[in-house]
């Protein structure tokens, strides 16, 4: 998989775009009413139990507005916090703090939301299997969302279409499953190969061919367990398909090596943070 990098330069670029969106075209016309010399200390707190993630995004939201603002982190990225926990303190010009407030909280809320939802799945399965994200991400924000998954204890699946061969149902519907797998093996050039099946008949057509992972999509528990049993001496096994917090344990109990879950990125609820002056 492509290496995910979240350098300070990358973070600043994303935050700059968000600030520009919020300040176009005339800046914060409300905060401009405040005394320009007023120095305050604000407390950043969590309104709920959560995994905190994205603190550097929040920090740079303030520093890009005003380099004199002091952002003191009280909880580390990836840490589990309780309701009303103090996450950070922000000291500086009141006008500057209020200009950056919403952008800082938006990044923090979204990234923490993904980390928190991922962690809920991870805790339910323990070491039985890996919880993986998918490509169901906000366009141009995939690297941030996959970073959040890692902070929640999850595992990153392929980053993009070039990372590995993933032969899915629509590929198979457009060709022949055994021919496609054979072509992938012939052209793999060091890339991993994953093959998606939605029934045991498809599995039996390709079992024994030399690829890496078999992905069972939308299979019931009985067939999933049978598929894992047939495959485990040949391949890494993976399950996917509308798996949620109520069903994850039964899926993990089949012995599957990993589970890919789109909802941890595409529909994770934002975490509620507040900034108090």
């Amino acid at each position: 998989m492509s290496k995910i990098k979240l350098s300070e330069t990358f973070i600043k670029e994303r935050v700059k775009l968000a600030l520009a969106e919020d300040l176009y075209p005339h800046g914060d016309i409300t905060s401009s009413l405040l005394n320009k010399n007023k120095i305050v200390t604000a407390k950043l707190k969590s309104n709920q139990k959560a995994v905190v993630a994205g603190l550097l995004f929040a920090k740079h939201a303030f520093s890009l507005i005003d380099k004199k603002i002091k952002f003191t982190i009280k909880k580390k990225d990836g840490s589990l916090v309780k309701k009303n926990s103090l996450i950070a303190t922000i000291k500086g010009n009141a006008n500057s703090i209020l200009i950056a407030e919403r952008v800082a909280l938006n990044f923090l809320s979204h990234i923490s939301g993904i980390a928190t939802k991922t962690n809920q799945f991870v805790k339910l399965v323990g070491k039985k299997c890996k919880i993986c994200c998918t490509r169901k991400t906000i366009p141009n924000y995939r690297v941030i969302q996959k970073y959040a998954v890692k902070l929640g204890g999850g595992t990153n699946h392929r980053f993009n279409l070039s990372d590995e061969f993933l032969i899915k149902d629509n590929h198979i519907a457009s060709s022949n499953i055994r021919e496609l797998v054979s072509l992938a093996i012939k052209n793999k050039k060091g890339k991993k190969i994953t093959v998606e099946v939605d029934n045991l008949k498809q599995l039996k057509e390709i079992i024994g061919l030399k690829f890496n992972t078999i992905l069972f999509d939308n299979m019931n528990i009985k067939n999933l367990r049978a598929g894992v049993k047939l495959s485990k001496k040949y391949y890494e096994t993976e399950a996917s398909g509308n798996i949620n917090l109520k069903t994850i344990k039964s899926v993990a109990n089949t012995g599957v090596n990993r589970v890919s879950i789109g909802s941890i990125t595409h529909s994770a609820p934002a975490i509620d943070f507040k900034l108090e002056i």
Side-chain angles (χ1 to χ4, degrees):
M1 179 171 43
S2 299
K3 187 176 180 180
I4 293 177
K5 296 180 180 180
L6 280 189
S7 66
E8 294 231 3
T9 299
F10 172 87
I11 293 171
K12 285 181 179 180
E13 287 174 352
R14 288 296 188 274
V15 174
K16 279 180 181 178
L17 287 172
L19 288 169
E21 176 184 60
D22 221 19
L23 293 169
Y24 178 84
H26 301 301
D28 183 352
I29 60 174
T30 308
S31 295
S32 66
L33 302 174
L34 297 175
N35 183 333
K36 292 181 173 57
N37 298 315
K38 180 73 173 179
I39 301 298
V40 298
T41 298
K43 293 180 179 180
L44 177 58
K45 292 183 177 181
S46 175
N47 273 335
Q48 64 187 101
K49 183 179 179 181
V51 174
V52 176
L55 281 164
L56 280 180
F57 287 85
K59 181 179 180 178
H60 283 301
F62 293 106
S63 66
L64 285 168
I65 293 297
D66 186 344
K67 291 180 181 179
K68 293 181 180 180
I69 290 176
K70 186 177 181 181
F71 188 94
T72 305
I73 294 172
K74 300 295 183 179
K75 300 290 184 182
K76 293 182 180 179
D77 261 3
S79 62
L80 182 65
V81 301
K82 297 178 182 179
K83 183 178 179 179
N84 291 322
S85 292
L86 180 64
I87 309 302
T89 59
I90 306 102
K91 185 176 181 179
N93 180 274
N95 181 292
S96 299
I97 289 173
L98 290 174
I99 289 171
E101 175 187 4
R102 179 43 52 195
V103 167
L105 292 183
N106 281 350
F107 275 113
L108 194 62
S109 295
H110 180 63
I111 298 170
S112 297
I114 293 171
T116 300
K117 185 159 187 177
T118 301
N119 192 251
Q120 290 171 348
F121 280 98
V122 170
K123 283 189 171 181
L124 286 173
V125 302
K127 296 182 179 180
K128 285 184 180 179
C129 65
K130 296 176 180 178
I131 299 298
C132 302
C133 53
T134 70
R135 286 168 43 247
K136 294 176 181 179
T137 54
I138 297 172
N140 297 318
Y141 277 80
R142 180 173 296 165
V143 67
I144 297 172
Q145 294 186 302
K146 284 183 174 282
Y147 166 75
V149 167
K150 291 286 285 184
L151 287 174
T155 299
N156 288 158
H157 211 302
R158 62 176 181 162
F159 183 74
N160 60 34
L161 294 171
S162 298
D163 276 340
E164 67 177 76
F165 290 92
L166 177 44
I167 299 170
K168 295 172 68 71
D169 54 355
N170 281 335
H171 297 118
I172 294 165
S174 304
S175 185
N176 172 278
I177 187 169
R178 192 173 178 91
E179 288 179 7
L180 279 175
V181 176
S182 298
L183 277 170
I185 293 168
K186 184 179 179 181
N187 294 281
K188 66 178 185 178
K189 297 179 181 178
K191 300 287 187 181
K192 288 186 175 182
I193 302 170
T194 296
V195 185
E196 177 184 288
V197 298
D198 54 24
N199 58 64
L200 296 178
K201 181 177 180 291
Q202 287 179 324
L203 172 62
K204 289 173 182 177
E205 287 183 52
I206 59 173
I207 201 160
L209 294 177
K210 293 183 179 181
F211 58 92
N212 304 96
T213 306
I214 190 80
L215 169 57
F216 302 104
D217 186 51
N218 282 300
M219 288 178 66
N220 62 42
I221 295 300
K222 180 182 176 181
N223 286 341
L224 179 57
R225 186 176 286 110
V228 170
K229 187 176 180 180
L230 285 169
S231 306
K232 63 182 180 181
K233 70 176 181 179
Y234 298 103
Y235 314 112
E236 177 186 42
T237 55
E238 179 178 343
S240 70
N242 298 309
I243 297 165
N244 56 49
L245 291 168
K246 292 181 179 179
T247 60
I248 184 61
K249 279 189 176 181
S250 59
V251 172
N253 286 338
T254 64
V256 71
N257 299 123
R258 66 186 198 179
V259 181
S260 51
I261 304 170
S263 67
I264 59 177
T265 51
H266 71 59
S267 57
I271 299 301
D272 186 11
F273 292 99
K274 61 183 176 182
L275 189 144
E276 296 178 338
I277 293 178

